[in-house]
Amino acid sequence: MDDLLREFLTETAEHLDTVDVELVRFEQDPNNKAILSNIFRLVHTIKGTCGFLGLPRLEALAHAAETLMGKFRDGMPVTTPAVSLILATLDRIKDILNELEKHSVEPNGSDHDLIEALERMAATEVHTEASTAIAPASSVGSLTYQVLERALLPGEVPLDELERAFRETPGPEATKPESAIVMPVESGTAPVSAEEAAEAVSAKVQTIRVNVDTLEHLMTMVSELVLTRNQLLEISRRVEDNSYKVPLQRLSHVTAELQEGVMRTRMQPIGNAWQKLPRVIRDLSAELSKKIELVMQGADTELDRQVLEVIKDPLTHMVRNSADHGIESPLERKAAGKSERGTIRLNAYHEGGTITIEIADDGRGLNFAAIRRKAAERGIASEAEVERMSDAQVAKFIFHPGFSTAAAITSVSGRGVGMDVVKTNIELIGGTVDIRSETGRGTTFTIKIPLTLAIVAALIVASKDHRYAIPQVAVLELVRVTPGSEHAIERINGTPVLRLRDRLLPIIPLSKVLSTSSEEDVNEGFVVVTQVGRQRFGILVDGVFHTEEIVVKPMSSKLRHIQLFSGNTILGDGAVVLIIDPNGLARMVGSGTEDGQMQSDAALEQSSVENEETTTLLVFRGGGESLKAVPLSLVTRLEEIDASTIEWLGGRPLVQYRGRLMPLVASDEELEIKREGMQALVVFSDSDFAMGLAVDEIVDIVEDKLDIELVADRSDLVGSAVIRGRATEVVNIAHYLPLVAESWMRSGQPVGMASSRSVLLVDGSAFFRDMLTPVLKAAGYKVHSAGSAAEALGLLSSGTGIDVLITELDLPDRSGFELIASLRSSTRYAQLPVIGLTVRHDPRQVAQAHKLQVTELVAKFDRRGLIAALAELHGSLEEAA
Amino acid sequence: MSISQPTNNDVTRTKGFAEMIEYVTVTVDGQLLGLAIDRVHDVFVASEMTSVPLASSEIAGLLNLRGRVVTAISLRRRLHLADREASGRRMAVGLEHSGEAYGLLVDEVGEVLKLNPEALQPNPVHMDPRWAGLSQGVHQLQDRLLIILDVDAVLQFDTQLAA
């Protein structure tokens, strides 16, 4: 196949996917000229290219569809049959493209059926409308080939003009805020629009297409490089020859960056996996006579394409399931006092090293009684057992193979792909699925998957004389246990448990599950606290070494049946080490995991989570006696460096870190950065800037409710809080930033909104969101946060009650002013008080802010100013009320 | 046993006596065994083996062979022989089966023999069926017998038993 054709196929497939999505949107919002323009332009592009490449069938189809859409543009009412017809045409085009891909020639066949239908549809309307149609629709079909050959010439001029007109009208980007409030579905198309924008502005962002195999190969080579680097580092740890340490360090940095870079090339927005969903939902709604709205958030969340491939089908399956089983018919919904239109909400976001995807519907929820009955019938559990189980446990039965409670098998569900397949697929890539359901309120599936499969951070542990790797993602904390100490293993009827913060943690001695030891009562060692889904348990090991980036190699087929291991790897010292799969471990310790004490433990936790939000905090000592803490989510890494590597430039400490210079700052004036020995660092970083906070020692990582009392006189502290029963100072990272970096502020950080009670904080940097959230909470506000204008609009349109919006003025996806402007143009939020956060003082900004009725502009680092502005606002709102 | 699998040897055997087949000879428990040389990738010393708990008994562990993870299989255990007591240098023969790398642990690796396939005799009828399943036949050498191993059969065993 020649390159031109291949290029055409790839590009057209992308365009068609976009058209699919856009059409569904257009049907719901037929007055949106911008969407129509976009569709028209894409179809026109397809048509034009087909003509150029000499593909008459495709060209004729595209032309007929374009003609009908031209009628829409001229004011013909947009009807469901018309849209269905165009969608059917697109499906035909896709079929032809598939054939084309296989055989490099257009398949034989006739499309007269569709073309005639399209013409008829277009022609009917000509009678009722003032006939301003661009193309003589009636003659198109019979003369297909010639019309295209000839008609292109006379037809081209107006079309070109049309196209120019389209480009001049505001594109989808500009209208996004408005439409996002109505229906945030379109976020999935964002990457595509960006691409087109690039086309239009003549390649502002340069891209090239690279064969996936090339990337895969590159990835493999980088993996090998990482291994070799690890081996070298291991050797250098043993050998006292410093001459090559510096180049080795450099090699290490370069490798790390190379690895990161290659990984990034493999990243794709999850929206790619969602593209087909609006169409799926539209077709399903029609088929099932339900009214369903699909809301997609976080479509730009990126993940490894390999992972993306694996989850694509399960996701589609789950969305279908929600539409079929979850959402009730409009009548039922009405009877239940809900709005007729059901909502399926997809949400994706990053969390630690994993991506969380939620699929939530507001339908009828699971029928627990039916599942109980079915479980007993199928003999999965006895009736008595089933009765005793909690709803949460019962819900898990739907993941059992062949489990279906659907009374009737519909054309939508019951096609043989069950939830068990979904679960298996997701677990295959080290992910977990969790389900929460409430009768009458809906069901939420939560999928957690690793960002990438190839290289993972793992904790190396020892059990007996062997080493094993446990993926870091699953590890919550490490606890050292010794008999007689605060943390000692106790036994209930021989089963080991650990009291951890007043909760009983089930303990699984690794040597026991591995059958490498017959000793029943091991009481010493380390407990690796692990979480799988909502289950938490401790793995007891003899020793803990270090964390290492490992390249996951698949298990030999002879060993794949051992569910305890997910793979193996070669460590820096050349030893082969098995990778423990926490999911498998949880399964192996028996059904007890699914329905025994761990579950009850999980239930306990769930309730506690619901009652009060906890924050994970890093507790450290740094100057003075008191403990200090900082939200762990802000922390990038913990490091311990040789103090002799600290360089002093103009009296300011710097250290070479990952190939860059990283400024250091002492956590307290009383703390002196060491000149020799080891210096502990807490590293904070934003996309391209890092800062090291020098501390005395890292004490612990704790999860606790963060209840901050503000302190007035110290800018280096947010306030103090009682953490684990001890008064702890919560450090204000923002205080340190200006000390070390002007550059930190260069990239846009939006702050969300604040309301008299409920505040929405929009800021592009997770760091600042995390930093400001506790400050605002401390001041008594309920805080919602968003990382982009689109996300903020999604939140607002979802009906979250927001009283004040705090937004950074330079948002990543759009300027904060645009966000405000789009709010001002909506009726609901026209009066919403807005506080703008700004980095620099700029009279033009002030003027624009004034125009948009921005209540207050506050400097970004001025948290006190922000609180004051909020308080003032609060006061005035109360007065008004 | 793998009757259904025509091996390279079967194919070559029909080609007439001029075609000699080369075998890598190995010893376990004093018995001389031969592996078709075209199946053998390399011969190496198996050091630093990682044992795999819960695996079937034939699997001795995992090895790092030049950056590749190799599954080590004990030929003694495959032949239902007792483990060797003396733990000296462990030799392994590198094999490949369905795209995966294996190392067959043996007591010793001997010379390469060139043999006429027509001289291959079928297994004696009363041979231990567990051995017969892994053997393609017997060559009579001057002073001893050489059992020709069916490499695919050796590498094919049920892993589920151990679970």
Side-chain angles (χ1 to χ4, degrees):
Chain A
M1 201 189 306
D2 71 57
D3 289 346
L4 204 58
L5 191 56
R6 196 173 304 127
E7 184 93 340
F8 161 75
L9 285 172
T10 329
E11 211 179 271
T12 309
E14 276 170 20
H15 284 162
L16 284 175
D17 282 345
T18 316
V19 172
D20 255 5
V21 175
E22 293 280 289
L23 260 179
V24 175
R25 266 180 68 205
F26 180 58
E27 189 183 9
Q28 292 171 1
D29 184 13
N31 295 322
N32 193 329
K33 280 255 155 54
I35 305 180
L36 182 61
S37 311
N38 195 21
I39 301 173
F40 202 93
R41 185 157 53 83
L42 290 172
V43 175
H44 182 63
T45 310
I46 297 172
K47 184 184 103 172
T49 331
C50 295
F52 179 66
L53 289 172
L55 304 166
R57 265 188 82 182
L58 286 174
E59 193 183 355
L61 275 171
H63 180 83
E66 189 189 352
T67 310
L68 182 54
M69 278 186 274
K71 299 287 161 140
F72 290 157
R73 198 188 51 90
D74 293 338
M76 174 175 136
V78 182
T79 60
T80 307
V83 173
S84 296
L85 187 59
I86 297 179
L87 286 175
T89 311
L90 294 179
D91 286 343
R92 177 77 58 88
I93 294 180
K94 283 181 204 163
D95 290 344
I96 299 178
L97 286 174
N98 278 340
E99 287 294 312
L100 194 59
E101 196 170 354
K102 275 184 225 141
H103 310 295
S104 301
V105 284
E106 265 192 341
N108 294 321
S110 162
D111 305 310
H112 278 291
D113 49 340
L114 276 176
I115 293 174
E116 269 162 28
L118 284 164
E119 276 168 22
R120 220 176 306 121
M121 186 79 73
T124 11
E125 295 307 327
V126 174
H127 302 308
T128 54
E129 291 289 324
S131 176
T132 50
I134 1 151
S138 51
S139 65
V140 172
S142 46
L143 299 174
T144 323
Y145 200 74
Q146 289 135 358
V147 165
L148 293 164
E149 288 268 306
R150 282 191 269 107
L152 265 181
L153 292 171
E156 210 158 58
V157 181
L159 284 176
D160 255 2
E161 270 169 9
L162 251 183
E163 193 144 351
R164 197 175 322 121
F166 291 152
R167 285 183 194 217
E168 279 161 14
T169 51
E173 283 290 311
T175 51
K176 215 156 145 197
E178 188 194 355
S179 54
I181 287 174
V182 184
M183 184 169 159
V185 163
E186 103 296 355
S187 45
T189 65
V192 182
S193 343
E195 204 173 87
E196 286 153 17
E199 254 170 48
V201 193
S202 124
K204 197 171 178 189
V205 183
Q206 293 201 352
T207 58
I208 58 167
R209 283 180 202 282
V210 181
N211 194 320
V212 170
D213 289 344
T214 315
L215 285 183
E216 290 295 314
H217 181 67
L218 208 54
M219 187 67 213
T220 319
M221 295 327 286
V222 169
S223 302
E224 293 302 324
L225 185 61
V226 169
L227 275 182
T228 317
R229 190 260 325 252
N230 290 353
Q231 281 162 4
L232 282 174
L233 287 177
E234 183 69 31
I235 296 169
S236 82
R237 241 172 262 156
R238 286 196 307 257
V239 182
E240 276 307 313
D241 177 2
N242 282 326
S243 60
Y244 65 91
K245 285 224 163 138
V246 175
L248 186 58
Q249 202 87 41
R250 176 95 193 112
L251 173 72
S252 181
H253 290 324
V254 173
T255 311
E257 269 183 40
L258 187 60
Q259 180 188 341
E260 207 173 290
V262 173
M263 296 295 250
R264 210 174 300 140
T265 64
R266 292 162 51 98
M267 292 300 192
Q268 285 191 330
I270 193 166
N272 289 5
W274 291 355
Q275 281 219 342
K276 297 208 159 39
L277 294 179
R279 171 82 188 272
V280 167
I281 289 298
R282 178 195 178 271
D283 291 355
L284 275 182
S285 312
E287 200 175 319
L288 303 166
S289 316
K290 291 178 183 177
K291 291 186 181 167
I292 306 170
E293 185 184 2
L294 182 68
V295 180
M296 305 196 283
Q297 286 170 336
D300 50 359
T301 311
E302 291 195 324
L303 73 176
D304 193 282
R305 51 165 290 279
Q306 208 179 339
V307 180
L308 197 73
E309 281 305 310
V310 180
I311 61 157
K312 217 175 197 169
D313 290 340
L315 271 183
T316 312
H317 179 73
M318 289 167 95
V319 169
R320 276 171 161 280
N321 253 352
S322 293
D324 190 23
H325 301 311
I327 305 285
E328 315 91 325
S329 69
L331 276 180
E332 273 176 73
R333 290 186 66 90
K334 229 175 175 175
K338 299 195 230 181
S339 78
E340 284 190 15
R341 184 172 284 275
T343 307
I344 297 176
R345 188 178 295 273
L346 278 170
N347 193 11
Y349 52 92
H350 286 264
E351 199 176 41
T354 59
I355 288 193
T356 306
I357 306 168
E358 287 170 353
I359 300 152
D361 66 59
D362 62 351
R364 59 170 77 95
L366 292 177
N367 184 344
F368 292 111
I371 299 175
R372 282 201 166 87
R373 210 177 321 119
K374 193 89 180 178
E377 259 172 47
R378 292 181 55 92
I380 300 171
S382 77
E383 242 166 82
E385 277 172 342
V386 167
E387 284 311 313
R388 269 203 311 276
M389 287 180 186
S390 68
D391 283 355
Q393 288 166 262
V394 170
K396 298 218 162 167
F397 282 130
I398 67 165
F399 293 118
H400 273 266
F403 202 96
S404 170
T405 56
I409 287 176
T410 65
S411 66
V412 180
S413 307
R415 282 180 183 162
V417 203
M419 290 305 290
D420 61 315
V421 179
V422 169
K423 187 165 185 250
T424 316
N425 269 352
I426 290 168
E427 282 177 355
L428 216 59
I429 52 170
T432 55
V433 205
D434 214 5
I435 179 169
R436 260 176 315 159
S437 182
E438 213 178 311
T439 310
R441 301 282 298 276
T443 309
T444 303
F445 289 95
T446 309
I447 304 174
K448 277 185 200 287
I449 37 178
L451 275 177
T452 179
L453 300 178
I455 300 182
V456 298
L459 183 69
I460 312 297
V461 300
S463 171
K464 298 292 138 199
D465 295 332
H466 292 295
R467 283 181 292 175
Y468 300 92
I470 302 176
Q472 191 83 54
V473 185
V475 178
L476 294 179
E477 59 181 310
L478 290 171
V479 181
R480 177 170 200 153
V481 286
T482 37
S485 74
E486 183 192 354
H487 294 298
I489 297 215
E490 295 170 70
R491 268 155 226 281
I492 301 174
N493 188 24
T495 314
V497 291
L498 175 70
R499 285 191 221 189
L500 190 62
R501 291 189 281 286
D502 302 327
R503 287 178 35 209
L504 282 186
L505 187 74
I507 297 296
I508 305 164
L510 190 57
S511 58
K512 203 177 153 199
V513 274
L514 295 174
S515 323
T516 48
S517 156
S518 51
E519 275 176 70
E520 272 300 313
D521 24 79
V522 198
N523 285 321
E524 253 196 282
F526 293 86
V527 169
V528 181
V529 183
T530 311
Q531 181 146 11
V532 174
R534 291 195 165 272
Q535 297 163 359
R536 203 176 268 209
F537 56 93
I539 308 171
L540 179 63
V541 298
D542 298 336
V544 172
F545 297 102
H546 52 285
T547 315
E548 192 165 324
E549 301 259 293
I550 56 169
V551 180
V552 179
K553 297 187 179 242
M555 273 311 236
S556 149
S557 58
K558 294 271 184 286
L559 301 170
R560 227 164 269 163
H561 64 283
I562 310 172
Q563 46 181 349
L564 184 55
F565 305 120
S566 58
N568 50 48
T569 190
I570 297 177
L571 289 189
D573 59 6
V576 178
V577 159
L578 294 156
I579 303 168
I580 296 207
D581 176 7
N583 297 307
L585 186 65
R587 268 199 306 273
M588 271 192 75
V589 283
S591 50
T593 313
E594 300 247 330
D595 33 56
Q597 63 192 123
M598 289 185 195
Q599 187 57 48
S600 58
D601 191 51
L604 191 95
E605 164 160 352
Q606 192 174 346
S607 60
S608 73
V609 165
E610 275 161 14
N611 290 346
E612 48 192 66
E613 296 221 353
T614 60
T615 311
T616 312
L617 296 160
L618 175 77
V619 181
F620 59 90
R621 253 180 245 284
E625 267 313 290
S626 63
L627 290 175
K628 291 175 194 277
V630 61
L632 187 63
S633 53
L634 301 184
V635 176
T636 312
R637 280 179 100 90
L638 302 180
E639 295 283 349
E640 198 156 62
I641 55 163
D642 189 341
S644 61
T645 63
I646 299 175
E647 295 164 50
W648 296 79
L649 284 184
R652 287 167 47 167
L654 293 164
V655 67
Q656 285 191 27
Y657 184 72
R658 306 199 146 205
R660 292 219 179 88
L661 277 178
M662 177 172 78
L664 299 185
V665 59
S667 60
D668 194 288
E669 283 159 19
E670 292 168 34
L671 177 93
E672 263 190 51
I673 293 177
K674 293 184 190 160
R675 303 270 176 164
E676 55 190 32
M678 298 304 282
Q679 172 69 56
L681 292 181
V682 181
V683 178
F684 301 92
S685 70
D686 207 347
S687 53
D688 50 14
F689 178 79
M691 171 192 100
L693 187 68
V695 303
D696 279 339
E697 62 164 336
I698 307 290
V699 177
D700 202 353
I701 290 172
V702 301
E703 197 174 309
D704 210 336
K705 193 181 159 201
L706 191 54
D707 205 352
I708 300 180
E709 286 166 40
L710 274 189
V711 285
D713 54 337
R714 288 180 62 178
S715 65
D716 60 335
L717 299 179
V718 176
S720 60
V722 176
I723 296 169
R724 240 8 133 68
R726 291 198 57 174
T728 306
E729 295 172 337
V730 180
V731 172
N732 176 23
I733 293 303
H735 164 78
Y736 299 101
L737 294 180
L739 300 183
V740 293
E742 300 73 45
S743 65
W744 191 295
M745 297 310 302
R746 238 181 272 137
S747 60
Q749 283 104 10
V751 176
M753 16 176 147
S755 71
S756 61
R757 282 280 150 74
S758 188
V759 176
L760 173 59
L761 179 69
V762 189
D763 193 307
S765 148
F767 184 90
F768 275 88
R769 285 203 302 278
D770 278 358
M771 186 200 84
L772 279 173
T773 303
V775 172
L776 292 171
K777 274 192 182 153
Y781 295 92
K782 201 171 156 213
V783 187
H784 299 269
S785 63
S788 66
E791 201 184 319
L793 288 166
L795 256 169
L796 285 170
S797 62
S798 71
T800 315
I802 298 293
D803 303 301
V804 179
L805 168 74
I806 302 175
T807 181
E808 154 74 33
L809 294 177
D810 301 302
L811 285 174
D813 53 343
R814 191 172 318 159
S815 111
F817 284 125
E818 273 180 57
L819 170 67
I820 301 165
S822 65
L823 288 179
R824 290 294 178 241
S825 64
S826 78
T827 48
R828 186 163 162 197
Y829 293 110
Q831 298 302 321
L832 184 73
V834 175
I835 295 178
L837 295 187
T838 175
V839 191
R840 52 187 191 272
H841 185 79
D842 178 349
R844 269 179 309 163
Q845 238 185 14
V846 176
Q848 199 177 356
H850 189 70
K851 220 166 74 191
L852 287 166
Q853 301 157 18
V854 172
T855 324
E856 194 86 58
L857 278 181
V858 178
K860 200 155 175 183
F861 283 123
D862 186 4
R863 71 196 165 95
R864 215 158 290 155
L866 178 62
I867 298 289
L870 274 171
E872 207 170 292
L873 202 57
H874 195 158
S876 64
L877 282 179
E878 298 230 304
E879 265 168 43
Chain B
M1 71 176 276
S2 57
I3 310 166
S4 57
Q5 286 188 318
T7 63
N8 295 338
N9 298 331
D10 294 325
V11 178
T12 348
R13 204 181 333 169
T14 58
K15 286 189 184 166
F17 71 97
E19 302 252 1
M20 302 289 267
I21 300 183
E22 288 183 283
Y23 293 101
V24 176
T25 59
V26 297
T27 332
V28 277
D29 202 23
Q31 175 63 54
L32 194 65
L33 300 141
L35 295 138
I37 201 164
D38 53 359
R39 295 298 305 270
V40 176
H41 278 235
D42 45 11
V43 171
F44 55 92
V45 180
S47 57
E48 301 235 5
M49 204 151 46
T50 303
S51 64
V52 184
L54 309 176
S56 45
S57 62
E58 290 92 340
I59 294 175
L62 298 174
L63 292 165
N64 172 9
L65 182 62
R66 294 185 294 273
R68 202 168 170 199
V69 178
V70 173
T71 311
I73 294 181
S74 158
L75 185 55
R76 275 177 169 262
R77 293 201 189 154
R78 275 302 277 143
L79 294 170
H80 303 271
L81 296 168
D83 280 357
R84 197 155 61 135
E85 302 214 342
S87 54
R89 256 185 4 155
R90 284 212 273 187
M91 296 303 295
V93 179
L95 303 170
E96 196 140 326
H97 180 62
S98 349
E100 289 178 314
Y102 292 92
L104 195 62
L105 296 182
V106 297
D107 293 355
E108 272 168 54
V109 178
E111 53 190 330
V112 174
L113 296 179
K114 217 179 240 187
L115 297 168
N116 185 345
E118 293 195 347
L120 184 74
Q121 305 212 348
N123 296 325
V125 283
H126 61 294
M127 195 185 209
D128 181 335
R130 294 181 298 192
W131 279 52
L134 305 181
S135 160
Q136 290 179 328
V138 183
H139 268 292
Q140 301 178 45
L141 305 183
Q142 264 183 338
D143 48 351
R144 53 204 302 199
L145 297 173
L146 173 74
I147 295 176
I148 302 301
L149 280 178
D150 179 342
V151 172
D152 290 308
V154 170
L155 296 181
Q156 213 148 49
F157 51 91
D158 197 357
T159 51
Q160 301 293 342
L161 289 177

